[in-house]
Amino acid sequence: MSKIATRFAPSPTGPLHIGGVRTALFNWLFSKKKGGIFLLRIEDTDKERSKDEYKDQIIKSLKWIGINYDGNEYIQSSKIDNHIQVAKELLKNGHAYKCYCSSEEIEEQKKRAKQKKIPYIYDRKWRDKKEVDAPKNIEPVIRFKSKIEGSTILKDLVQGDVQIENNTIEDFIILRNDGSPTYNLSVAVDDQQMKVTHIIRGDDHKINTFKQMQIYNAMQWELPNFAHIPLIHTTEGKKLSKRDKASTLDDYSKIGIMPEALRNYLLRLGWSFKDKEIFTLEESIEHFNLEGIGKSPSKLDKSRILSMNEYYIKNISEKDLFDRFNEYCKNYKQVIGANKEDKIKKSLSFLKNKAKSLEDIYNNSKYIIFDEVSFDENDVKLIDEKAKKIIADFRNEVSKEKEIKKETLETIINNLIKKYETNFKGVGQPLRIALTGSKFGPGIYDIMISLGKLDIEKRLKKIT
RNA sequence: GGUCCCUUCGUCUAUCGGUUAGGACACAUGGUUUUCAUCCAUGAAAGAGGGGUUCGAUUCCCCUAGGGACCGCCA
């Protein structure tokens, strides 16, 4: 058997969404597992809607999540001549014919079918007509001569055998009347020429597969293997579309989801290997198989993504975590100053315990990133006269110390709790607000130690 | 409407004829932590319905119901 080759073939007519990314991931994993190659084909033949910006977004997305394709991206529009060539051959072999129906005529037929509530299918009017009868003023389209008799079985690697009556497949157009090839022709020709051995794509392509299989057969090409994976549904249970919110990788990236977490989540969405939930990249390549792909569509679950992200935040190395965080801040929030990097790195050990996302880490580390504390009005109200006294006392005690250590801080705070006849919250909360501007965040000792004596004094002074 | 696909806890799923139907997320309760979070423990939670086949069906077959995809000179 020839070398395994898979491909991902998006059209750059909109941003790549998470469903497409999962399809790409499955194809990529499958080829890696089999020691094959994975190709990227940009299907940009719809010149009206294709945009370079989308192409770039697709490439960027794949890169972000760690999917790398072999060779250069294959640009479908640059291969149109090949597609036309095949169409001509099909015409010559009698597997295709010229259809002189005007688009008005077709529209009319569709309308009538709708009124009668019967399914529209092209009536194959020109299939056996002689060309001498052709109207002179109409530029014909080329239609594929689909089989009428019998049925076809698709041996689907995910869905099993799928049988369909051949007469339900119409004589589809392969060349428009402007001479340009249509989707099914281009795809079949490209896949064949790229020597794709396994076509793993969304279930929404299943009908196309039957059309493309006929082209393969007519050209006497060896059929590739097909696997139709169930679609990802929104929480409303509908097919995920480019228009859905929170569907592109950037939508997740900007709320602080890390690529490894999303990759792991997507892997387990519609695929499983026993009870295993966490897969390193190596493990996913090792265990991935088509048998593990489920047959029913699955819904996106944001809390699951977040919890996967939380796992990776806690389990990747702090060095990697810093890199991810640094990049996140740079892209979506605020560049971390060079003088702050060290403090952040040291604080990651406790910051990550409270975070489900990089955004959480950001929110909890603002007190380090920004020199000026920004206060929430409601929180400031919590610092009353008594609290101000406590803060002043605390600052006074701290200034006597040479070095800030947890033990000394504990002693100071405990003494204040006694002196002011309050509890930990009574002392801790005002201090926290004064130092960070927020009621929530890391432990008070962690905050103080990471800030250091000078910053503590400076910040507390402003309050009292 | 036609064709095709699907149906196990709220969600993602395990089970390849015999299980107290398992795990994970979310949820609830309790414990640890002198706040919050983390962490730990516990709990509630599922085979769409009806027929077969079988000694025995979540598992195999059929029907019904529900959901989905496709039905472009878009890809």
Side-chain angles (χ1 to χ4, degrees):
Chain A
M1 193 174 184
S2 54
K3 190 171 175 121
I4 299 289
T6 62
R7 49 62 157 189
F8 177 54
S11 65
T13 53
L16 179 62
H17 62 69
I18 207 167
V21 174
R22 189 189 60 160
T23 303
L25 178 67
F26 283 8
N27 275 284
W28 180 74
L29 248 18
F30 184 77
S31 75
K32 289 288 154 206
K33 166 74 177 279
K34 301 282 186 185
I37 57 170
F38 169 71
L39 305 164
L40 175 65
R41 182 171 74 227
I42 303 292
E43 306 211 326
D44 60 341
T45 50
D46 185 341
K47 285 293 167 200
E48 296 274 301
R49 295 192 298 150
S50 293
K51 287 194 177 134
D52 272 355
E53 106 188 52
Y54 293 132
K55 186 183 98 181
D56 295 343
Q57 187 263 358
I58 290 166
I59 292 171
K60 204 177 119 201
S61 292
L62 295 178
K63 193 176 169 194
W64 182 78
I65 205 161
I67 298 174
N68 42 16
Y69 46 94
D70 294 289
N72 291 326
E73 53 272 24
Y74 185 104
I75 305 297
Q76 186 165 62
S77 60
S78 71
K79 305 289 178 181
I80 283 181
D81 289 347
N82 299 0
H83 311 155
I84 294 172
Q85 196 54 43
V86 171
K88 284 184 179 160
E89 215 171 313
L90 254 13
L91 197 57
K92 210 163 75 188
N93 296 340
H95 286 291
Y97 62 93
K98 290 179 181 171
C99 164
Y100 289 87
C101 291
S102 65
S103 32
E104 293 77 34
E105 198 176 341
I106 300 289
E107 284 309 313
E108 186 57 35
Q109 286 181 23
K110 282 184 186 171
K111 220 194 236 167
R112 241 179 294 153
K114 208 170 185 181
Q115 277 169 358
K116 286 194 204 159
K117 290 195 172 177
I118 54 169
Y120 165 75
I121 185 161
Y122 170 66
D123 63 5
R124 309 177 203 263
K125 183 176 167 188
W126 286 90
R127 187 171 167 116
D128 299 309
K129 266 201 178 187
K130 294 210 173 61
E131 273 190 37
V132 283
D133 301 328
K136 296 271 185 308
N137 57 338
I138 285 181
E139 202 51 49
V141 297
I142 310 290
R143 285 182 185 270
F144 184 84
K145 210 180 263 184
S146 276
K147 284 187 191 157
I148 296 176
E149 307 283 316
S151 59
T152 301
I153 295 174
L154 160 65
K155 293 193 172 306
D156 193 280
L157 264 24
V158 167
Q159 303 195 352
D161 288 359
V162 180
Q163 190 175 98
I164 197 171
E165 295 299 318
N166 288 331
N167 62 19
T168 59
I169 305 286
E170 71 166 348
D171 286 355
F172 55 96
I173 293 170
I174 54 177
L175 230 49
R176 301 183 183 96
N177 62 184
D178 66 358
S180 64
T182 62
Y183 172 76
N184 281 298
L185 205 226
S186 297
V187 168
V189 175
D190 284 345
D191 282 333
Q192 196 278 150
Q193 293 186 173
M194 291 162 78
K195 297 186 165 54
V196 174
T197 60
H198 294 259
I199 296 174
I200 305 166
R201 68 206 334 182
D203 186 40
D204 50 346
H205 282 289
K206 208 155 58 196
I207 295 296
N208 292 327
T209 296
F210 283 98
K211 294 179 180 172
Q212 290 160 211
M213 280 168 79
Q214 293 209 43
I215 294 176
Y216 273 82
N217 289 149
M219 293 300 291
Q220 295 185 300
W221 292 335
E222 191 187 342
L223 275 179
N225 297 287
F226 292 96
H228 291 92
I229 62 178
L231 302 176
I232 296 178
H233 281 175
T234 63
T235 34
E236 287 75 43
K238 297 273 188 263
K239 177 185 173 182
L240 199 62
S241 92
K242 292 170 184 179
R243 287 171 292 282
D244 284 307
K245 289 183 216 66
S247 70
T248 67
L249 292 196
D250 193 59
D251 291 330
Y252 292 95
S253 171
K254 77 179 173 211
I255 58 168
I257 303 296
M258 301 194 294
E260 40 277 271
L262 201 57
R263 190 212 79 232
N264 199 148
Y265 172 77
L266 252 19
L267 174 69
R268 279 288 287 98
L269 191 66
W271 178 83
S272 62
F273 179 75
K274 299 179 183 169
D275 274 346
K276 197 169 164 59
E277 299 284 349
I278 303 296
F279 291 83
T280 64
L281 199 57
E282 294 71 29
E283 284 172 332
S284 47
I285 292 169
E286 184 191 341
H287 296 301
F288 188 78
N289 56 11
L290 264 19
E291 294 75 45
I293 299 176
K295 292 186 181 182
S296 50
S298 33
K299 287 180 189 163
L300 232 33
D301 181 356
K302 194 180 164 193
S303 68
R304 193 81 186 265
I305 298 174
L306 237 25
S307 115
M308 190 62 84
N309 201 47
E310 183 179 15
Y311 174 86
Y312 278 95
I313 282 179
K314 292 187 172 116
N315 288 284
I316 63 175
S317 72
E318 276 176 25
K319 185 192 169 299
D320 285 347
L321 182 58
F322 178 78
D323 291 343
R324 297 271 182 276
F325 181 61
N326 196 230
E327 196 192 327
Y328 172 76
C329 290
K330 195 177 79 193
N331 290 340
Y332 302 104
K333 302 289 185 187
Q334 162 79 30
V335 174
I336 297 174
N339 58 329
K340 300 287 160 61
E341 282 190 16
D342 231 37
K343 268 189 181 171
I344 296 281
K345 279 178 187 167
K346 281 183 186 147
S347 309
L348 240 26
S349 61
F350 60 84
L351 284 171
K352 69 181 181 184
N353 284 331
K354 313 186 73 96
K356 275 179 161 24
S357 68
L358 297 174
E359 188 170 38
D360 288 346
I361 296 183
Y362 172 76
N363 286 333
N364 282 334
S365 62
K366 275 184 186 165
Y367 77 96
I368 300 175
I369 296 172
F370 297 97
D371 289 321
E372 292 296 317
V373 179
S374 55
F375 295 96
D376 183 291
E377 268 182 57
N378 291 319
D379 290 345
V380 174
K381 281 181 199 155
L382 291 169
I383 303 182
D384 53 16
E385 286 311 307
K386 183 179 171 190
K388 280 187 181 170
K389 276 184 194 161
I390 294 174
I391 291 171
D393 266 12
F394 181 84
R395 180 164 64 88
N396 193 248
E397 292 299 318
V398 165
S399 64
K400 291 180 195 162
E401 301 293 328
K402 267 206 199 107
E403 208 186 331
I404 297 291
K405 278 192 297 199
K406 192 181 175 189
E407 294 73 34
T408 48
L409 290 172
E410 267 177 341
T411 315
I412 296 171
I413 286 180
N414 282 328
N415 288 339
L416 288 173
I417 290 171
K418 266 183 228 159
K419 182 177 171 187
Y420 288 92
E421 294 178 325
T422 180
N423 54 18
F424 183 81
K425 201 175 173 182
V427 175
Q429 197 174 63
L431 281 171
R432 175 198 291 286
I433 293 170
L435 292 171
T436 70
S438 170
K439 270 192 292 189
F440 306 105
I444 191 77
Y445 300 120
D446 288 329
I447 292 173
M448 289 176 175
I449 292 165
S450 64
L451 235 29
K453 186 183 163 181
L454 288 177
D455 271 346
I456 294 175
E457 288 180 293
K458 210 164 82 187
R459 290 186 184 190
L460 295 186
K461 202 168 184 180
K462 284 205 170 156
I463 296 295
T464 52

